[in-house]
Amino acid sequence: MRHHVPLGSRCGTDEPPFAHEPNKTPMDKQTLSFQAEVKQILHLVTHSLYSNKEIFLREMISNASDACDKLRFEAIDKPELYEGQTNLEVRVTFDADAKTITITDNGIGLSAEEAVSNLGTIAKSGTREFVAALEGDQKKDAQLIGQFGVGFYSGFIVADRITVESRRAGLPPEEGVRWTSEGAGDFEIETITRAARGTGVILHLREGEEEFLSGWKLKSIVSKYSDHISLPILMQKEEWDAGANKQVQKDEWAPVNKAAALWARPKSEITKEQYEEFYKQISYDTEAPLAYTHNRVEGRSEYTQLLYIPAKAPFDLWNRDKRGGVKLYVKRVFIMDDAEALMPVYLRFVKGVIDSSDLPLNVSRELLQESRDVKAIREGSTKRVLSMLEGLAESEDAAEKEKYAAFWKDFGVVLKEGIGEDFANRERLTKLYRFASTAVDDGATQSVTLTDYVGRMKKEQESIYYVTADTPATAKNSPQLEIFRKKGIEVLLLTDRVDEWLLSHLYEFDGHPLQSVAKGAVDLGKLEDETEKKQAEATATAFKPTLDRLKEALKGRAKDVRVTTRLVDSPACLVAEEGDMSGHLARLLKQAGQGAPKAEPILEINPEHALVKRLESSEHFDDLANILFDQALLAEGGHLDDPASYVKRVNALLTA
Ligand code: ADP
Ligand code: MG
């Protein structure tokens, strides 16, 4: 008994045609009209998409994979839906003579009414945006299509006819369905008998698209886009037929995608070796990573993260424009490499995969920047990376701690960029920072934390003292350090280029201001006793006439000359006035090609030093004054504007 359902009249309304039909019966072939939005999309797809045509295969495989996921989900309550076949898979075949490519899955399948509504209408919003995107004068990139949840129609980029044959899991074989369309205004639908559960999508290729009729080509597209689909994607093996002088397909199937997506599997089932192997695959690194973290995050934004910290810095670590190393997947479908929006710039060395359940397939980079889901992912992933680093840094295990030291050596400079970039994680970052210090191995390694420093502070000490310089040797031999050494006060030695930037964002820690030993008058505050202070004042008064003569001699070079208590062994040093740029920073800016406003330094002299004592009665007062200044400049790593004059003066004195 046949029963005709007036499908066409209802197509395009919200209600699927069969929605309330209790007993479905076979139907004759019907021709139905696409919903208006679909027609619009199809027109654009067939007329406007020229680049990256190959993505049709990714979209078909993605749908096949979704269909298998849906079956798995429904079968939780109804295991009979498996019909005894629980191995879910996708098969891709081609027929060079018929010019077809077929993508078959044994997933949930489509009932007739589902075929009509799911392949004939677009339930989701976003059509208008898609149309606008393609109608604008953007490049007509097929990549766009997945973004709007209309991936199925991408088949029409390469096919002038698509046939879908399907049977929904749980329905009898006689209730299969065939859907056919040429991608214009309408499609045909009819009941068929289909023993196999699931869906086959047959693409009849357009004239000129024959390049896709090759096992090699199809395999390369699968491995490019769908390698980490967790289902096996099977293709027939090929064999060279000398008689026919071509490759022929054998009746032997083999998976062409790598494996199940590693990150989608439970942690407990993955070995360390597998994690490391995967890292090497995605990073092209030959060494094992330093650490990794693998988590499934649920909540407002759902995603899986598998993130690695490499053991060695890449050669271009310094390049801030380099995109990060995190690949974006959406539901195990590869979307893009180096999705920089997923990580802050200062964590650009992190490698790995983020697989989102919320993002639309193939969002563009532009959309990623604006997405709130992406923002949540970035924040979550940043926290994970910091936890990973904290885990190493604070580990009781010496080997782990050693790993952190190695990490810091290679990546510390980049991590320091974070202080200005990531306000939310300032505190955690600050604790991860390591510095060279006068208190530990004479500043040979960067191993001191600010917490360590504060723990060693003198009872009366208020500030955290540091010196900046171009090299570790210059730093640790700075004349400005002398009084601190004498009094046993620790000073941090900052010699990375990024340190001046760090200091412009990090001005206090744990309530203690960071204080340069080369800026402003030396004020050790309560660390100096009253007698010392009184004595210094008395010396200053006694020295007044000499100071005035020095100021006169160094006019245009030093903005002031004063006596200091900060020197022990050296005769003089240069300091910057509080609020002025340090000599070190001015040199860095100059090297970077940025003209810095030139602030004259202050010359401080050590009244106890023999050279200074000789100054008062010297016949070569002016020469000696300039030599003191030049030497102070050399000691802090500065360059003499007129080295020849310096040499002449020194020689004159040596021979005098
Ligand atoms: P999306 O995948 O974002 O839902 P598509 O345009 O790719 O959008 O697919 C439209 C719909 O067609 C899917 O939601 C699904 O209902 C149906 N569909 C497509 N391919 C298959 C398939 N292989 N098996 C079952 N249903 C499918
Ligand atoms: Mg899809």
Side-chain angles (χ1 to χ4, degrees):
M1 194 184 71
R2 294 221 154 173
H3 177 98
H4 291 271
V5 186
L7 285 170
S9 60
R10 301 177 66 177
C11 191
T13 65
D14 289 342
E15 208 175 312
F18 292 105
H20 307 293
E21 300 281 334
N23 294 308
K24 285 158 290 217
T25 46
M27 58 176 169
D28 285 341
K29 194 182 265 187
Q30 310 242 347
T31 299
L32 302 176
S33 189
F34 279 119
Q35 182 196 28
E37 282 94 327
V38 177
K39 285 187 199 168
Q40 217 178 346
I41 299 254
L42 283 169
H43 183 81
L44 287 166
V45 163
T46 52
H47 292 91
S48 305
L49 299 177
Y50 301 113
S51 56
N52 288 313
K53 289 177 173 186
E54 67 206 28
I55 62 94
F56 76 87
L57 189 57
R58 175 185 71 186
E59 296 298 332
M60 298 304 141
I61 290 177
S62 154
N63 286 346
S65 166
D66 287 349
C68 292
D69 285 347
K70 281 181 207 158
L71 173 61
R72 248 190 228 115
F73 183 74
E74 284 192 25
I76 296 171
D77 293 330
K78 285 189 264 174
E80 66 274 14
L81 288 179
Y82 279 126
E83 301 169 16
Q85 197 195 359
T86 52
N87 285 342
L88 303 183
E89 61 188 30
V90 183
R91 287 173 192 249
V92 178
T93 53
F94 66 97
D95 180 333
D97 300 325
K99 294 191 179 170
T100 58
I101 295 173
T102 304
I103 300 96
T104 313
D105 66 71
N106 57 359
I108 192 73
L110 291 157
S111 65
E113 62 265 39
E114 284 169 335
V116 170
S117 69
N118 298 355
L119 303 177
T121 61
I122 301 172
K124 300 168 208 83
S125 61
T127 314
R128 203 155 9 100
E129 286 86 339
F130 176 69
V131 171
L134 280 181
E135 279 177 344
D137 42 24
Q138 304 190 11
K139 56 180 164 26
K140 309 298 188 197
D141 189 338
Q143 293 269 12
L144 277 167
I145 198 159
Q147 198 173 309
F148 300 93
V150 292
F152 174 75
Y153 302 110
S154 70
F156 288 108
I157 300 173
V158 295
D160 51 15
R161 185 152 55 93
I162 298 181
T163 305
V164 177
E165 294 181 350
S166 190
R167 174 173 68 79
R168 199 182 201 286
L171 292 182
E174 311 78 65
E175 290 190 36
V177 61
R178 177 182 293 128
W179 179 103
T180 307
S181 174
E182 291 176 4
D186 49 33
F187 59 90
E188 285 174 359
I189 189 141
E190 67 186 304
T191 303
I192 57 167
T193 295
R194 191 178 197 268
R197 169 195 78 216
T199 305
V201 177
I202 304 150
L203 305 170
H204 303 266
L205 296 195
R206 290 176 191 279
E207 201 73 51
E209 304 296 350
E210 291 78 9
E211 62 163 321
F212 295 110
L213 296 169
S214 135
W216 177 83
K217 177 81 182 173
L218 293 173
K219 274 177 202 160
S220 73
I221 301 173
V222 171
S223 63
K224 180 166 177 192
Y225 293 108
S226 310
D227 218 10
H228 296 291
I229 288 280
S230 55
L231 299 164
I233 301 167
L234 306 172
M235 285 185 69
Q236 274 165 291
K237 286 194 172 168
E238 285 180 300
E239 195 175 52
W240 183 252
D241 181 336
N245 198 29
K246 62 173 186 182
Q247 293 275 94
V248 292
Q249 300 177 64
K250 298 202 291 180
D251 196 23
E252 210 182 308
W253 297 79
V256 291
N257 56 333
K258 264 275 154 36
L262 185 82
W263 62 87
R265 287 159 47 192
K267 273 184 185 182
S268 56
E269 288 176 15
I270 311 173
T271 64
K272 182 164 176 272
E273 286 68 34
Q274 284 171 322
Y275 276 124
E276 294 186 352
E277 193 43 50
F278 182 72
Y279 165 75
K280 290 177 186 172
Q281 239 181 64
I282 59 163
S283 67
Y284 304 106
D285 196 345
T286 49
E287 259 182 78
L290 206 58
Y292 54 83
T293 180
H294 181 196
N295 314 282
R296 166 121 198 96
V297 182
E298 264 141 28
R300 198 174 62 72
S301 188
E302 284 192 13
Y303 60 96
T304 299
Q305 55 190 187
L306 174 54
L307 302 172
Y308 295 88
I309 295 174
K312 288 241 165 65
F315 67 94
D316 56 351
L317 180 67
W318 265 106
N319 184 1
R320 278 179 60 85
D321 296 332
K322 191 178 168 282
R323 287 174 164 161
V326 177
K327 292 176 191 289
L328 175 65
Y329 281 75
V330 172
K331 299 189 193 105
R332 294 186 297 289
V333 177
F334 173 71
I335 306 299
M336 67 177 80
D337 270 322
D338 308 338
E340 69 274 21
L342 299 176
M343 275 286 160
V345 179
Y346 75 94
L347 295 181
R348 57 188 175 276
F349 53 84
V350 173
K351 304 264 188 250
V353 169
I354 293 205
D355 189 342
S356 160
S357 308
D358 311 315
L359 291 170
L361 259 177
N362 201 15
V363 293
S364 65
R365 285 191 194 274
E366 291 68 33
L367 276 176
L368 276 186
Q369 301 291 357
E370 292 153 20
S371 158
R372 290 185 55 210
D373 286 319
V374 170
K375 193 163 173 277
I377 293 175
R378 182 171 57 232
E379 285 169 5
S381 303
T382 302
K383 292 209 159 73
R384 280 290 170 184
V385 173
L386 296 182
S387 309
M388 223 184 326
L389 293 173
E390 286 160 357
L392 294 175
E394 291 156 19
S395 173
E396 299 291 310
D397 181 346
E400 296 285 287
K401 263 201 135 79
E402 190 50 46
K403 280 188 186 173
Y404 189 74
F407 165 81
W408 182 260
K409 200 158 166 266
D410 264 28
F411 298 97
V413 286
V414 177
L415 206 65
K416 284 183 192 168
E417 292 173 12
I419 190 85
E421 202 180 318
D422 188 355
F423 198 79
N425 291 304
R426 267 179 85 85
E427 252 195 72
R428 297 180 70 179
L429 278 168
T430 310
K431 290 187 175 151
L432 284 168
Y433 292 163
R434 298 290 182 270
F435 302 97
S437 153
T438 52
V440 174
D441 63 20
D442 201 23
T445 54
Q446 297 186 5
S447 59
V448 171
T449 67
L450 290 174
T451 315
D452 296 338
Y453 183 102
V454 170
R456 286 193 286 261
M457 275 167 67
K458 298 270 174 210
K459 207 158 132 255
E460 311 274 72
Q461 187 179 345
E462 280 151 7
S463 305
I464 296 173
Y465 294 103
Y466 68 84
V467 62
T468 56
D470 296 338
T471 66
T474 316
K476 76 178 193 200
N477 296 320
S478 300
Q480 289 94 337
L481 288 185
E482 289 167 5
I483 185 70
F484 292 88
R485 284 199 203 276
K486 189 178 166 198
K487 289 186 172 286
I489 300 167
E490 179 170 4
V491 178
L492 301 176
L493 308 170
L494 307 184
T495 55
D496 283 332
R497 296 172 72 93
V498 69
D499 285 336
E500 291 282 358
W501 145 267
L502 177 83
L503 290 163
S504 67
H505 290 93
L506 178 69
Y507 21 82
E508 69 95 44
F509 177 76
D510 203 16
H512 302 285
L514 269 78
Q515 167 76 44
S516 166
V517 301
K519 251 189 195 175
V522 67
D523 179 14
L524 297 179
K526 295 176 190 144
L527 289 164
E528 260 174 331
D529 56 39
E530 282 308 303
T531 18
E532 279 177 318
K533 277 187 189 159
K534 286 244 165 64
Q535 205 183 329
E537 278 161 30
T539 323
T541 321
F543 245 80
K544 179 101 175 38
T546 314
L547 291 179
D548 288 341
R549 279 177 75 195
L550 277 170
K551 269 183 233 176
E552 190 53 38
L554 296 172
K555 218 180 193 135
R557 301 193 78 187
K559 77 160 43 154
D560 195 6
V561 182
R562 63 192 183 207
V563 290
T564 184
T565 51
R566 83 172 96 215
L567 299 173
V568 178
D569 303 319
S570 302
C573 70
L574 296 178
V575 295
E577 187 166 32
E578 201 73 63
D580 275 356
M581 195 179 287
S582 72
H584 176 246
L585 179 56
R587 281 192 292 281
L588 278 184
L589 288 175
K590 201 172 159 198
Q591 279 165 25
Q594 292 180 32
K598 201 170 155 83
E600 284 175 19
I602 296 166
L603 180 73
E604 291 195 344
I605 56 167
N606 173 4
E608 305 299 324
H609 199 277
L611 202 57
V612 176
K613 284 185 172 155
R614 234 173 80 186
L615 189 63
E616 286 183 281
S617 55
S618 173
E619 304 157 34
H620 307 282
F621 188 91
D622 274 17
D623 282 342
L624 216 44
N626 277 291
I627 287 171
L628 278 180
F629 184 92
D630 288 342
Q631 286 184 344
L633 185 59
L634 287 171
E636 68 163 34
H639 296 284
L640 301 180
D641 286 338
D642 183 5
S645 296
Y646 169 76
V647 172
K648 243 189 229 154
R649 283 192 188 113
V650 171
N651 289 347
L653 281 176
L654 286 173
T655 52

